[in-house]
Amino acid sequence: MNVSRLSLVVGAAAGTVLLLAGPAFAHVSVEPGEAEKGGYGTIAFKVPNERDKASTVKLEITLPTDHPLASVMPQPVPGWDVKVTESKLDKPLEMHGEKIDEAVTKVTWTGGTIEPGSFQQFPLSVGQLPEDEDQLVFKALQTYDDDEIVRWIEEPKEGGEEPESPAPVLKLTEPAEGAEGHSHGAAGSSDDAKDGHEHGAEESGKSGGTEAAAAETSDTTARVLGIVGIVVGVVGAAFGILAGRRRSS
């Protein structure tokens, strides 16, 4: 098989892989896909446009009601209007010593467009995330300007095949070790910072000296090689002249 034919075969195979893999990544998802239990974080719903001749004009995210989030704040998205819907809770939440009987249950973005072949992210600041759950499932409705509505509402089952229209899922992980002392650890002493800075400067000085020595050695080597090259060139030219004279004689 010649090179050109092999290239065509490889290209066709790669195109087939991309074509088959495309739909699996073309649904509404939440990024990052993980967050720590009991904490606060910023997540973003990534919405790709799956249609060739229609634009996405609306996104509606329904938040879980079995584990409501007391704090939900959308980040402005240029060109889009956002509406936050609150609902009364069957069981009030307690947060920072206060009882909360209402929580955000839906966030809707309208007024903008996601053109074919592009995507848009819609960020939310959320918290406090539950401590007794391993994931939160958000249901999404994506509306196109031809009135088609795609319902990303199917909850993925662990160990099972991915649903045809999977809902965005935020995995909840255990807090990192020492996370409770984060604020205390962040307030480090200035002496420690100073010592670290001086140590870093000393190491930087050592590194700088080593680099300078290496540069000097490299420069010397380059000069020697240059001289050797000139000598070899002169010898070669002389040899060529002598060889030419011998041929003439």
Side-chain angles (χ1 to χ4, degrees), residues 157-237:
K157 303 296 183 183
E158 188 173 355
E161 294 184 359
E162 184 178 66
E164 184 177 350
S165 301
V169 176
L170 178 66
K171 299 289 185 182
L172 300 179
T173 61
E174 296 297 331
E177 187 175 352
E180 293 181 357
H182 176 70
S183 59
H184 174 74
S189 69
S190 58
D191 290 338
D192 290 341
K194 182 179 179 182
D195 291 343
H197 177 73
E198 291 176 352
H199 177 70
E202 182 180 352
E203 292 297 326
S204 176
K206 290 179 181 179
S207 175
T210 303
E211 291 176 359
E216 185 176 353
T217 301
S218 176
D219 185 57
T220 302
T221 303
R223 290 179 182 176
V224 172
L225 291 176
I227 294 172
V228 171
I230 293 172
V231 172
V232 171
V234 172
V235 171

Side-chain angles (χ1 to χ4, degrees), residues 16-248:
T16 302
V17 171
L18 290 174
L19 182 63
L20 293 176
F25 297 95
H27 53 73
V28 176
S29 59
V30 59
E31 298 183 353
E34 295 183 352
E36 290 187 356
K37 296 179 179 180
Y40 293 79
T42 299
I43 60 176
F45 293 93
K46 182 178 179 180
V47 183
N49 191 324
E50 295 185 302
R51 302 296 179 258
D52 296 329
K53 298 181 180 180
S55 297
T56 297
V57 293
K58 180 180 179 181
L59 174 68
E60 184 179 306
I61 298 293
T62 300
L63 282 69
T65 54
D66 51 346
H67 291 282
L69 301 173
S71 175
V72 177
M73 293 184 295
Q75 178 178 327
V77 178
W80 291 80
D81 300 320
V82 60
K83 178 183 177 183
V84 177
T85 302
E86 293 187 355
S87 301
K88 195 154 185 83
L89 300 176
D90 296 332
K91 183 180 179 181
L93 294 174
E94 188 167 337
M95 185 176 180
H96 305 304
E98 297 183 1
K99 285 190 175 182
I100 300 173
D101 57 3
E102 286 188 347
V104 175
T105 54
K106 186 182 298 183
V107 183
T108 306
W109 288 269
T110 56
T113 57
I114 306 175
E115 302 293 337
S118 60
F119 72 92
Q120 178 67 57
Q121 290 188 327
F122 299 87
L124 287 179
S125 173
V126 296
Q128 182 175 7
L129 298 173
E131 299 178 349
D132 55 352
E133 285 295 318
D134 294 327
Q135 66 179 25
L136 288 179
V137 179
F138 301 88
K139 295 183 178 181
L141 300 183
Q142 180 180 6
T143 303
Y144 288 89
D145 58 8
D146 59 0
D147 295 330
E148 178 190 8
I149 299 177
V150 182
R151 303 175 184 275
W152 305 103
I153 61 175
E154 298 180 53
E155 183 175 347
K157 303 296 183 183
E158 188 173 355
E161 294 184 359
E162 184 178 66
E164 184 177 350
S165 301
V169 176
L170 178 66
K171 299 289 185 182
L172 300 179
T173 61
E174 296 297 331
E177 187 175 352
E180 293 181 357
H182 176 70
S183 59
H184 174 74
S189 69
S190 58
D191 290 338
D192 290 341
K194 182 179 179 182
D195 291 343
H197 177 73
E198 291 176 352
H199 177 70
E202 182 180 352
E203 292 297 326
S204 176
K206 290 179 181 179
S207 175
T210 303
E211 291 176 359
E216 185 176 353
T217 301
S218 176
D219 185 57
T220 302
T221 303
R223 290 179 182 176
V224 172
L225 291 176
I227 294 172
V228 171
I230 293 172
V231 172
V232 171
V234 172
V235 171
F239 180 78
I241 293 171
L242 291 175
R245 288 179 179 178
R246 287 178 182 177
R247 290 194 192 95
S248 335

